[in-house]
Amino acid sequence: MMTDKVAEFRALHVPGDPLILVNIWDAGSAKAVAAAGAKAIATGSYGVAGAQGRSDGEDFPLEDALENLRRILSVTDLPVTIDMESGYGADAAAVGVSVGCAREAGAVGINMEDRLPGVTELLALAEAQARYRAAADSGIFINARCDMFRGRDAAKDGEALVAATLERARAYADAGAGSLFVPFLLDPKCIGAICDASPLPVNILRGKGGPTHRELAALGVARISHGHQPWAAAMAWLTGQAEQVLGGDEPDY
């Protein structure tokens, strides 16, 4: 039953023993990551859109995102969570409908942001909470993304940003979210403070130069995402190999 699969996915979020998600973008990349021993499959919206020549920010239509989900589900029995950006809805009711479609298609979870596409400012807390509640009412696992640290200086404003993040964490937990996603944060002190006080298990975006997987686990992180980085690295490799071949050299493959 889908309810059981959602519960199984929820149980993978263990502070100190994090679920590691090497984000994928299509059925083929899902098979590759599954073959490496992944416990779950997660899409990243940037890579999903980029693989189709589209831009991030809900430029990739919901119908296409759901079809991509179905293709991924056709090649793996692992739980699949998809990045639904801002929830594909102008208001909470519309978000609920869109997220319900993802659950009906077979996703066990979604990512959802607390700001709208192309907008820097976060949604008002009450509005964000209402959107998360509508999403959670579908029965799916909600990884509630909080962009409090996006474009901010953790070294300078860390204490205030942590407090603001925890305020949202409590509101999102009350709305039924399953975990708290805090991207764009590499400062160990802030990560540890959020993990210590958050009512939700914490998801951190792994970043080059930031804490390692083991260090994040020691800080109490329950989920580590790789976001758009696998897709970007794959495309950079492809461009490099093409440049070698078109420049008259042999490729590395």
Side-chain angles (χ1 to χ4, degrees):
M1 291 178 60
M2 180 57 72
T3 303
D4 294 335
K5 289 185 177 180
V6 173
E8 291 171 6
F9 182 66
R10 186 184 304 274
L12 295 174
H13 295 71
V14 180
D17 184 18
L19 170 64
I20 297 176
L21 298 172
V22 181
N23 298 76
I24 56 88
W25 51 93
D26 61 9
S29 54
K31 288 182 71 174
V33 169
K39 294 181 180 179
I41 296 296
T43 69
S45 64
Y46 194 103
V48 168
Q52 301 300 320
R54 306 296 287 265
S55 299
D56 198 22
E58 296 187 11
D59 179 52
F60 194 57
L62 176 61
E63 295 76 14
D64 292 340
L66 294 175
E67 178 57 30
N68 193 48
L69 167 64
R70 295 185 189 99
R71 290 175 181 172
I72 292 167
L73 288 165
S74 74
V75 300
T76 182
D77 292 326
L78 291 172
V80 176
T81 180
I82 67 167
D83 187 345
M84 287 192 69
E85 306 200 58
S86 301
Y88 283 90
D91 55 28
V95 167
V97 172
S98 295
V99 176
C101 290
R103 188 176 191 276
E104 289 174 11
V108 300
I110 66 160
N111 276 20
M112 200 170 101
E113 302 174 20
D114 56 0
R115 62 186 179 88
L116 297 178
V119 178
T120 300
E121 295 78 17
L122 272 61
L123 288 162
L125 182 55
E127 184 179 359
Q129 185 182 42
R131 291 168 71 90
Y132 282 127
R133 181 174 290 113
D137 283 348
S138 71
I140 210 167
F141 184 94
I142 308 300
N143 189 35
R145 174 170 153 172
C146 179
D147 271 5
M148 191 62 65
F149 282 85
R150 185 173 184 267
R152 304 294 294 274
D153 186 349
K156 178 183 177 183
D157 302 316
E159 187 173 340
L161 293 171
V162 167
T165 298
L166 291 172
E167 179 185 16
R168 289 193 171 243
R170 290 187 286 270
Y172 299 166
D174 289 343
S179 58
L180 176 72
F181 181 29
V182 190
F184 315 113
L185 172 60
L186 300 178
D187 182 85
K189 183 178 178 181
C190 291
I191 293 171
I194 292 171
C195 289
D196 287 345
S198 173
L200 295 170
V202 176
N203 178 191
I204 293 294
L205 178 68
R206 175 263 177 197
K208 195 169 185 178
T212 64
H213 290 82
R214 289 184 180 180
E215 289 168 342
L216 288 171
L219 289 168
V221 172
R223 173 168 166 169
I224 302 172
S225 300
H226 284 225
H228 82 288
Q229 297 167 101
W231 176 83
M235 294 304 101
W237 179 87
L238 179 59
T239 297
Q241 294 302 299
E243 288 174 345
Q244 284 182 211
V245 172
L246 297 173
D249 295 324
E250 293 299 310
D252 295 334
Y253 53 82

